[in-house]
């Protein structure tokens, strides 16, 4: 069986100060016993992880799932770091499987922010939770964004590095012993940013100010991409509704034309009058373009122009919480306007547009 490396090599490998380690009063031999015990637990942890993985993969709106079992050396590292941070936290061979709640880790991704609700409902109704779900947000996120999590009894916390995700600690019991697994839920865009952020920062560049500034810009772009995904989703639904209504209107028009043609044929009038009426009906058969589609096309074009203006690279350093520019939809095109305005994620859009107007005046 794999053996834990020597203490001095381990502390050097994981950049743990010898004085800090000695202050914990942890005994290396005790840590070696935990290491050996954990190696024997890995197959059972793997079975639990696969069960949760398969359950999440079958959940509606889940795009993809990854899982991992924490490596044995990383378990020892975490025990040491936890004791350094909190000398009163005692982790032993008897309790480490309940104290370390991320021995099993899973990450489920979804495409659109609004899809989180159904995934949350599945998790909370399928497994017992050890504690309330934790929803991480970035400094600058709107109050409406945070309220959505509070409504579903999540513990909402600002993340130091801007990670947006929801964390669940669920109980799993493949046999007599209970294990815990951490499930993280986030969008694909947030996952892409967090993977880049983790690769750059981890393990020893977490407070590098140069990396921090550029990663923050990338974080904001990922957030904007999420908002754009939501906008496109709403736009698609609206277009589908318009198309359905338009097709229904065209079918009704065609039915009416056929009815009128039959009545014209039976009219007892001059042939010239019949021809006049028939020619008029032929014009009605020509393709008709809904004015709503023209207005919608103009609205989308204006939105894209404003998005390009707001996310210009020269303005990135000034971005605080730009989510999506106000769509310039005409007042008479009310259905799409109401659909967008009713969604809480667009609550700060108007302020962004006013800021743009002020900038133009200054120029």
């Amino acid at each position: 069986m794999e053996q834990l490396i020597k203490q001095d090599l381990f502390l050097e490998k994981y950049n743990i100060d010898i004085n800090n380690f000695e202050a914990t009063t942890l005994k290396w031999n005790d840590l070696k016993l935990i290491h050996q015990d954990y190696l024997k637990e890995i197959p059972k942890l793997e079975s639990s992880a696969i069960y949760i993985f398969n359950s999440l993969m079958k959940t509606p709106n889940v795009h993809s799932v990854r899982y991992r079992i924490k490596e044995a050396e990383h378990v020892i590292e975490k025990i040491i770091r936890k004791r350094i941070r909190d000398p009163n936290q005692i982790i032993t061979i008897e309790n480490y499987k309940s104290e370390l709640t991320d021995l099993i880790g899973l990450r489920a991704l979804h495409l659109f922010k609004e899809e989180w609700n159904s995934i949350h409902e599945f998790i909370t109704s399928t497994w017992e939770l050890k504690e309330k779900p934790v929803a991480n947000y970035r400094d600058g996120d709107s109050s409406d964004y945070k309220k959505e999590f509070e409504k579903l009894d999540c513990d909402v916390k600002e993340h130091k590095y801007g990670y947006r995700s929801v964390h669940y600690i669920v109980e799993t019991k493949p046999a007599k012993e209970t294990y815990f697994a951490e499930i993280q839920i986030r969008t694909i865009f947030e996952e892409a940013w967090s993977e880049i952020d983790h690769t750059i920062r981890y393990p020893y560049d977490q407070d590098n100010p140069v990396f921090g500034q550029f990663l923050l810009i990338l974080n904001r772009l990922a957030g904007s991409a999420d908002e754009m995904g939501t906008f496109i989703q709403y736009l698609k639904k609206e277009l589908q509704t318009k198309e359905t209504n338009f097709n229904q209107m065209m079918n009704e028009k065609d039915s009416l034309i056929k009815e009128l043609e039959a009545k014209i044929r039976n009219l007892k009038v001059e042939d010239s009058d019949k021809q006049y009426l028939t020619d008029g009906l032929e014009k009605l058969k020509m393709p008709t373009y809904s004015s709503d589609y023209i207005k919608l096309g103009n609205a989308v074009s204006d939105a894209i122009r404003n998005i390009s203006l707001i996310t210009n690279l020269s303005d990135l350093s000034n971005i605080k919480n730009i989510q999506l520019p106000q769509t310039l939809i005409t007042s008479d095109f009310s259905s799409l306007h109401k659909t967008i305005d009713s969604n809480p994620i667009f609550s700060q859009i108007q302020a962004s547009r006013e800021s743009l107007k002020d900038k133009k005046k200054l120029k």
Side-chain angles (χ1 to χ4, degrees), residues 88-276:
N88 295 318
Q89 186 170 13
I90 308 300
I91 300 178
T92 66
I93 194 169
E94 287 79 20
N95 70 0
Y96 79 90
K97 289 189 288 291
S98 59
E99 290 295 316
L100 304 181
T101 56
D102 65 341
L103 298 178
I104 300 170
L106 300 101
R107 189 169 296 161
L109 308 181
H110 53 100
L111 291 177
F112 304 104
K113 292 199 310 181
E114 292 73 18
E115 294 173 341
W116 166 76
N117 297 69
S118 63
I119 302 171
H120 170 84
E121 183 178 351
F122 173 78
I123 292 174
T124 54
S125 62
T126 302
W127 292 284
E128 293 293 331
L129 302 186
K130 185 178 182 181
E131 57 194 40
K132 291 172 64 173
V134 176
N136 293 316
Y137 68 92
R138 176 177 64 82
D139 177 32
D141 284 339
S142 69
S143 58
D144 288 332
Y145 176 80
K146 290 176 274 189
K147 284 178 183 176
E148 288 299 308
F149 298 115
E150 292 170 350
K151 287 178 184 176
L152 293 174
D153 199 30
C154 292
D155 189 5
V156 182
K157 295 181 178 180
E158 179 184 338
H159 195 281
K160 179 180 179 181
Y161 298 116
Y163 285 76
R164 294 186 188 91
S165 58
V166 186
H167 294 221
Y168 304 81
I169 305 298
V170 303
E171 293 184 12
T172 175
K173 195 171 184 180
K176 290 185 177 181
E177 189 161 15
T178 299
Y179 297 105
F180 294 98
E182 181 183 56
I183 303 174
Q184 297 182 18
I185 308 297
R186 58 165 59 112
T187 66
I188 285 179
F189 284 115
E190 283 298 330
E191 172 69 358
W193 171 79
S194 65
E195 283 294 298
I196 293 172
D197 182 86
H198 181 78
T199 301
I200 298 299
R201 291 186 195 270
Y202 189 81
Y204 310 125
D205 280 316
Q206 297 190 14
D207 296 314
N208 187 307
V210 177
F211 293 154
Q213 287 297 317
F214 283 100
L215 288 168
L216 181 59
I217 291 172
L218 188 59
N219 175 283
R220 288 164 176 166
L221 289 174
S224 297
D226 264 336
E227 303 304 340
M228 178 56 72
T230 295
F231 173 76
I232 293 171
Q233 184 185 36
Y234 273 88
L235 184 61
K236 179 183 177 181
K237 290 178 181 178
E238 187 65 22
L239 281 171
Q240 288 174 336
T241 300
K242 290 293 179 185
E243 184 175 3
T244 299
N245 294 339
F246 181 76
N247 289 336
Q248 182 179 351
M249 182 180 68
M250 290 298 99
N251 290 334
E252 291 174 357
K253 184 195 75 170
D254 291 341
S255 297
L256 180 59
I257 288 174
K258 289 178 181 179
E259 182 181 344
L260 290 173
E261 284 178 333
K263 289 184 178 182
I264 290 172
R265 285 194 296 270
N266 295 325
L267 284 176
K268 295 180 179 180
V269 296
E270 296 290 334
D271 289 343
S272 59
D273 293 332
K274 282 188 179 183
Q275 188 62 45
Y276 175 79

Side-chain angles (χ1 to χ4, degrees), residues 318-344:
N318 298 320
I319 296 176
K320 179 67 175 174
N321 186 33
I322 292 175
Q323 297 185 24
L324 187 71
Q326 173 72 21
T327 50
L328 304 180
I329 296 173
T330 53
S331 57
D332 56 333
F333 194 44
S334 57
S335 59
L336 180 58
H337 198 267
K338 290 177 181 177
T339 300
I340 292 174
D341 283 351
S342 64
N343 192 287

Side-chain angles (χ1 to χ4, degrees), residues 33-60:
L33 291 175
I34 294 176
H35 182 269
Q36 292 301 301
D37 184 77
Y38 179 72
L39 289 174
K40 292 184 290 185
E41 295 291 325
I42 287 178
K44 289 183 280 186
L45 293 168
E46 185 89 24
S47 297
S48 293
I50 291 173
Y51 165 73
I52 299 172
F53 171 88
N54 288 332
S55 299
L56 289 171
M57 281 298 296
K58 297 175 184 177
T59 306

Side-chain angles (χ1 to χ4, degrees), residues 56 69 94 302 317 319 352:
L56 289 171
I69 307 300
E94 287 79 20
D302 287 336
S317 60
I319 296 176
S352 299

